[in-house]
Amino acid sequence: MRRPAALSGIAFALIAAAPLPPYTPAYEPTGVDERGMWMQADEAERQMRDSPFVLRDPALNAYVRGILCRTVGQDRCQSTRLYIQRLPIFNATMYPNGMMTVWSGLLLRVRNEAELGAVLGHEFGHFEQRHSLEGFKRARGLGDLLTWTALLSPTLYSSMATSAIGGFYSFSRGQETEADLLGLAYLAQSPYPAASAAPVWERLMAEADATAAGRKRKVKAHRYSAGFFASHPTELTRATYLRDAAAKANDPGYPAAAAYRAALAPFIGDFLTDQIKLNDFGGTDYLLGQLAADGWTPDLLYARAELYRQRGNPRDLVSAAQFYQQAIDGGFAGAEAQRGLGLSLLRSQQLDAGKEALRRYLDATPAAPDAAMIGALVGQ
Amino acid sequence: MRVFFKSLVAVALLAAALPTAAQEKTGNKPGFTLTPGTARIVLMRPSIRVGEQSTGGMFEPNADWTLQARDMLGRAIGSVQGQLGNSVVDLVEPVGADASALAEYQALFTTLADSVIVYQFFPGNRLPTKKRKGQFSWTLGPGVASLPGLKGADYALFVTTDDQFGSAGRKAVQLLAALGGVGITSGVHKGFAGLVDIRTGDLVWLNADLQMGGDVRTEEGAQKRVAQLFEGFPGRPVPSATGQ
């Protein structure tokens, strides 16, 4: 915790295989700035603790926490509290006081324990290196500098302001790189293979491409150079240096994919429902394809059917009906598959088959909130 | 992937002087009178933050000052309400599902108070439904009555203060800029307090001031601040702090 944070992004490429910094258990903040930041984070954590967005399932929480602890080590993980938030976006956050948030969109996108460990290790790296404090001081210094120069020498201000602001974002990217490589160092010392870190970013690039294509936007080339105001390095840069560092670490390990799928199985349906509501056909279809790498489960087929029915072109409804039927044949438990099947068939001019499916839905769930509306469709 | 300081630069750069337009500070529900006798008031956990304002205008939190202010303001609120003949108890924080429900109402109150300040207290910005003279019609809804920890009480009291003392650098910049004819503010001292009728959920009184007095880190200052916070409090007039 005491090592000074290096400031240049280039320097970090050298520390990849370095041993972990010495760890201080039960660290207490020192100095006005750090104590103030911890106080703010403590207030934020009070709100997080009571937030309705937090998933409180004890088994899931214990499982995700176990992955963090196996990645960074039992002693280190004692200093964190972990909150799983139901938010369909790929993200995790770290607060200076040791509060970590893990978003459901992240849980949906990683394929195994090791990949999740890679991201959680990155977040823990921010905490261990006290990046929030350094970033706070840097931001304050930048504000002070710009204010003084704007006041004392407008000429100097106009010539240096841009580079000073750019320097701040470059510093932020340096912190992210440092956290990436520290996260990789945790992974290399854990039961998980360090090689699991890079594929996360590679798939994120592919998903972004699929999203752009699905929205009829230009698929941009992925670059190494980050934008001027980018707080993080580009995905391509991260994937590349993580892959290089993992090759150097060359550690054996077991990514635990089957255990991950089993632990997440009760939640995947909800997470997919959230994802589909993002109205991102291309990205979601790509994601479903990734999740179905080892075969289409009834849950995944149902989600794909919902996705196609949502887009709703005539050809999509034919595909949707097919996916619903496959989900039902595969043993999908919920009656909502019959509902989706019926609605898709009705809108594909297959009136009798559609009404039949809707009747099966009503028979299975007579008290459904939309029973009256569906009843009107089938003429009951 | 880290939330903390990413937006701070933008805030620091944009935190120029806010115009302090003509603004109303207090609203009372017409016809409302406080329960006669001793009103039982539950004080929700106040939102208090105290720190410095950096030269560039960024908030620098200070844990010691905030702790002092929490202590001083709590005592001053109890003493002022005691002089009014009311009893104030701190909310006992619930756990589990109750805590979630309470957190949602806390957030709802903040949104409501912000709405009152923006859409009622600024006369030029009033919503068409809030334009009739003398009306003050805002509510959290009757669900408040079922919140944990409020059983048997008459009112819930919400208090928020935000204090950012101008740092030496900020004051120097202010002085220098003033010489050049540029107005830069130094320090932020905002606060608001609101009273909710637990039986109906109606907001019966709100007082908001974007430029408050009283150094909340000291006992006398906190008393002065609380006297200002309770301006227009329904019922008897609020005794002003001694010696102010």
Side-chain angles (χ1 to χ4, degrees):
Chain A
M1 302 288 276
R2 301 284 170 177
R3 65 180 292 156
L7 298 186
S8 154
I10 305 147
F12 300 132
L14 307 172
I15 65 158
L20 297 179
Y23 180 66
T24 318
Y27 174 78
E28 278 295 313
T30 54
V32 172
D33 290 334
E34 189 171 29
R35 293 180 57 232
M37 294 196 73
W38 280 54
M39 172 199 74
Q40 279 195 312
D42 287 345
E43 286 297 319
E45 187 167 355
R46 278 173 178 272
Q47 296 193 342
M48 183 65 67
R49 181 190 62 191
D50 297 337
S51 164
F53 286 98
V54 172
L55 286 173
R56 303 188 191 275
D57 182 84
L60 181 67
N61 276 277
Y63 181 70
V64 174
R65 184 165 186 85
I67 293 172
L68 171 67
C69 291
R70 279 194 290 282
T71 304
V72 303
Q74 292 296 336
D75 50 347
R76 282 184 160 80
C77 90
Q78 293 301 326
S79 52
T80 62
R81 280 91 47 219
L82 198 143
Y83 300 86
I84 302 171
Q85 286 185 284
R86 191 168 166 180
L87 290 170
I89 294 164
F90 176 94
N91 203 5
T93 64
M94 191 77 218
Y95 287 68
N97 67 342
M99 163 164 74
M100 183 186 282
T101 73
V102 179
W103 298 14
S104 59
L106 168 63
L107 297 179
L108 186 63
R109 278 169 179 78
V110 294
R111 292 177 305 187
N112 51 50
E113 294 185 5
E115 288 186 355
L116 182 58
V119 177
L120 301 187
H122 164 97
E123 295 301 335
F124 191 87
H126 281 313
F127 171 63
E128 178 148 18
Q129 297 291 4
R130 296 190 282 159
H131 279 166
S132 299
L133 178 65
E134 292 303 322
F136 170 81
K137 288 181 177 167
R138 186 92 179 194
R140 179 177 56 197
L142 173 64
D144 292 357
L145 176 72
L146 291 181
T147 306
W148 279 119
T149 41
L151 209 60
L152 298 175
S153 169
T155 327
L156 180 62
Y157 178 85
S158 60
S159 65
M160 57 72 74
T162 309
S163 67
I165 293 168
F168 173 78
Y169 287 101
S170 158
F171 166 80
S172 169
R173 291 193 293 274
Q175 284 194 330
E176 296 299 332
T177 304
E178 187 183 26
D180 271 345
L181 293 175
L182 188 54
L184 196 101
Y186 296 136
L187 216 55
Q189 298 202 353
S190 77
Y192 303 127
S196 298
V200 178
W201 301 107
E202 285 161 0
R203 289 203 309 284
L204 218 56
M205 282 188 276
E207 187 186 327
D209 292 349
T211 299
R215 290 183 170 151
K216 308 266 191 296
R217 287 200 199 123
K218 199 174 157 200
V219 178
K220 285 191 195 137
H222 292 280
R223 295 176 194 282
Y224 283 104
S225 58
F228 189 76
F229 293 112
S231 59
H232 291 64
T234 67
E235 279 93 12
L236 182 61
T237 307
R238 300 177 84 170
T240 305
Y241 64 62
L242 285 170
R243 189 166 288 287
D244 288 351
K248 278 183 208 138
N250 193 26
D251 61 321
Y254 177 63
Y260 185 78
R261 270 198 304 277
L264 267 293
F267 305 95
I268 287 296
D270 282 349
F271 294 174
L272 284 172
T273 304
D274 297 345
Q275 169 68 27
I276 287 167
K277 285 177 186 159
L278 295 179
N279 195 20
D280 171 11
F281 185 88
T284 308
D285 206 35
Y286 170 83
L287 185 59
L288 286 169
Q290 288 296 317
L291 289 167
D294 300 323
W296 285 89
T297 62
D299 268 350
L300 293 174
L301 282 165
Y302 173 75
R304 195 170 192 203
E306 289 279 285
L307 179 69
Y308 277 71
R309 187 167 69 86
Q310 183 194 53
R311 191 167 72 169
N313 292 320
R315 63 191 159 90
D316 293 328
L317 295 168
V318 174
S319 304
Q322 188 188 330
F323 298 142
Y324 282 121
Q325 193 59 57
Q326 287 171 355
I328 293 164
D329 295 344
F332 186 79
E336 59 267 28
Q338 297 286 1
R339 177 183 179 276
L341 175 64
L343 292 173
S344 304
L345 288 173
L346 276 190
R347 282 197 274 162
S348 310
Q349 309 302 319
Q350 301 191 47
L351 298 183
D352 292 338
K355 286 181 179 177
E356 221 170 281
L358 291 181
R359 277 193 205 99
R360 284 196 293 274
Y361 168 66
L362 289 176
D363 289 346
T365 53
D370 60 352
M373 192 180 74
I374 300 290
L377 283 176
V378 299
Q380 275 180 357
Chain B
M1 291 231 261
R2 196 152 24 96
V3 287
F4 235 76
F5 66 86
K6 292 289 144 62
S7 58
L8 291 183
V9 172
V11 172
L13 297 178
L14 292 174
L18 279 169
T20 43
Q23 188 217 5
E24 292 174 9
K25 292 176 181 171
T26 305
N28 281 292
K29 190 180 162 191
F32 169 79
T33 48
L34 211 59
T35 311
T38 303
R40 287 157 301 174
I41 297 172
V42 175
L43 176 64
M44 313 302 271
R45 185 170 191 275
S47 164
I48 294 169
R49 66 170 204 181
V50 189
E52 272 194 306
Q53 187 179 38
S54 75
T55 307
M58 206 169 99
F59 175 62
E60 305 170 80
N62 187 307
D64 292 333
W65 294 355
T66 304
L67 200 67
Q68 282 165 16
R70 195 169 275 289
D71 195 33
M72 304 284 180
L73 287 171
R75 265 188 279 163
I77 290 168
S79 107
V80 164
Q81 286 296 336
Q83 290 174 53
L84 291 175
N86 302 319
S87 74
V88 176
V89 291
D90 288 347
L91 178 79
V92 179
E93 289 187 32
V95 293
D98 284 349
S100 276
L102 191 73
E104 291 193 50
Y105 272 96
Q106 290 263 24
L108 182 60
F109 176 81
T110 306
T111 305
L112 187 78
D114 286 347
S115 300
V116 175
I117 293 166
V118 174
Y119 298 116
Q120 168 118 22
F121 284 178
F122 285 96
N125 194 36
R126 251 172 220 168
L127 292 174
T129 51
K130 304 291 177 195
K131 278 187 172 158
R132 210 179 320 136
K133 205 170 162 55
Q135 81 157 15
F136 189 78
S137 175
W138 303 85
T139 185
L140 293 178
V144 175
S146 56
L147 281 181
L150 300 184
K151 300 256 158 36
D154 300 311
Y155 303 100
L157 177 64
F158 294 82
V159 174
T160 296
T161 61
D162 179 7
D163 285 272
Q164 307 177 22
F165 292 89
S167 61
R170 185 73 179 177
K171 284 174 185 154
V173 161
Q174 183 185 33
L175 203 67
L176 210 63
L179 292 179
V182 179
I184 290 182
T185 58
S186 173
V188 173
H189 300 279
K190 293 188 291 194
F192 61 81
L195 194 68
V196 170
D197 187 335
I198 289 172
R199 273 161 295 247
T200 59
D202 289 352
L203 181 67
V204 294
W205 165 77
L206 184 78
N207 184 40
D209 197 336
L210 301 182
Q211 286 175 314
M212 301 202 83
D215 183 341
V216 292
R217 298 167 297 183
T218 64
E219 194 156 351
E220 310 85 68
Q223 282 168 0
K224 183 179 174 191
R225 169 65 58 87
V226 166
Q228 287 188 0
L229 273 173
F230 283 135
E231 265 172 28
F233 191 82
R236 284 139 288 197
V238 175
S240 57
T242 46
Q244 297 290 330

